[in-house]
């Protein structure tokens, strides 16, 4: 189980900026969806979807801190087509908007 989860984490880390379908991932690796999600959560403490979201937010933070890309560009770079949706997810995770986050870390 740990090896399967580790491989999934590597895949998610390498592909977080693309659309990832967890059902397809599990099926392509010969696992049932429920078994995969349960096993992933058992080992990591979070679901695959939460893991991918976390990777995207962490990478968005790095881009907000280290680049002058627009929020829309960062949204696209971390895998979200919709800037509003990205901003909402970011705010929910970090307690502030991407714009506010950038302002705080840049000052």
């Amino acid at each position: 189980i740990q090896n399967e989860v580790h491989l999934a984490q590597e895949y998610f880390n390498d592909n977080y900026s693309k659309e990832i379908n967890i059902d397809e991932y599990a099926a392509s690796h010969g696992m049932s969806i429920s078994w995969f999600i349960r096993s992933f959560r058992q080992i990591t403490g979070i679901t695959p979807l939460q893991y991918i979201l976390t990777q995207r937010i962490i990478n968005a933070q790095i881009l907000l801190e280290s680049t002058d890309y627009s929020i829309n560009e960062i949204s696209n770079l971390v895998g979200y087509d919709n800037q509003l949706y990205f901003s909402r997810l970011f705010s929910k995770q970090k307690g502030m908007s991407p714009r506010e986050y950038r302002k705080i870390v840049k000052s």
Side-chain angles (χ1 to χ4, degrees):
I1 294 176
Q2 267 188 318
N3 194 37
E4 288 295 344
V5 170
H6 181 69
L7 289 173
Q9 286 177 300
E10 280 185 5
Y11 177 81
F12 297 154
N13 291 343
D14 293 343
N15 296 284
Y16 71 86
S17 63
K18 302 176 187 131
E19 192 175 314
I20 298 174
N21 184 315
I22 290 163
D23 297 4
E24 284 174 14
Y25 178 86
S28 72
H29 288 78
M31 300 177 270
S32 83
I33 295 146
S34 58
W35 182 88
F36 173 63
I37 292 172
R38 195 169 48 252
S39 301
F40 193 96
R41 181 184 229 149
Q42 195 179 348
I43 303 244
T44 65
I46 56 176
T47 66
L49 206 55
Q50 289 168 316
Y51 184 85
I52 294 163
L53 170 68
T54 301
Q55 291 311 111
R56 288 176 170 168
I57 297 299
I58 288 168
N59 284 287
Q61 284 179 268
I62 293 166
L63 290 168
L64 287 164
E65 292 166 16
S66 62
T67 72
D68 289 324
Y69 293 146
S70 71
I71 306 297
N72 192 42
E73 286 172 312
I74 290 173
S75 170
N76 287 318
L77 285 169
V78 299
Y80 294 107
D81 296 337
N82 183 325
Q83 178 191 336
L84 197 64
Y85 180 65
F86 162 71
S87 292
R88 229 179 289 139
L89 287 174
F90 190 97
S91 296
K92 196 172 172 186
Q93 290 284 312
K94 296 289 152 198
M96 65 184 83
S97 73
R99 193 163 275 108
E100 292 168 322
Y101 180 83
R102 174 177 268 165
K103 209 159 131 189
I104 288 169
V105 297
K106 293 262 184 174
S107 61

